[in-house]
Amino acid sequence: MLRGTVVTHRHRCGKPNCRCAGGETLHEEVILTYSRASRARSVRIPEELIESVREATQRYREAREQLEAAGNAGLEDLVAKLRRRS
């Protein structure tokens, strides 16, 4: 499980004779973006790890959704009990 988002980052390197200078064919790299201490961070993902990192971030999203659903169900139960007491 891994918190973050896998994205493909496209950019120009700045070298005047590079293929990316014209803006048609940019450099691409796959990165993991995440936040830490309220600051955006990113790390480059090597080609051989891309799929496993994507799967790990998907597992995190699914677990977060389940936790959110359980928390909402608990909240609804509490509100219902408090209304019955009134």
Side-chain angles (χ1 to χ4, degrees):
M1 191 176 314
L2 190 61
R3 183 176 57 85
T5 305
V6 177
V7 296
T8 301
H9 181 69
R10 293 174 183 86
H11 61 95
R12 290 187 182 99
C13 67
K15 297 177 184 175
N17 292 329
C18 183
R19 63 183 167 89
C20 69
E24 296 139 14
T25 308
L26 301 178
H27 297 281
E28 289 187 357
E29 62 184 348
V30 178
I31 60 174
L32 174 72
T33 61
Y34 61 97
S35 63
R36 179 175 288 164
S38 299
R39 297 192 56 116
R41 312 272 186 195
S42 64
V43 61
R44 185 184 164 282
I45 304 172
E47 186 73 32
E48 66 272 9
L49 296 179
I50 293 172
E51 198 54 40
S52 63
V53 171
R54 277 195 175 120
E55 291 168 358
T57 58
Q58 180 62 33
R59 285 192 301 273
Y60 176 81
R61 282 191 298 278
E62 290 168 358
R64 187 179 65 195
E65 288 171 4
Q66 291 173 357
L67 180 61
E68 185 74 20
N72 287 338
L75 181 59
E76 289 173 13
D77 288 346
L78 176 63
V79 169
K81 286 178 187 176
L82 294 174
R83 285 185 181 152
R84 285 193 297 264
R85 294 178 93 192
S86 303

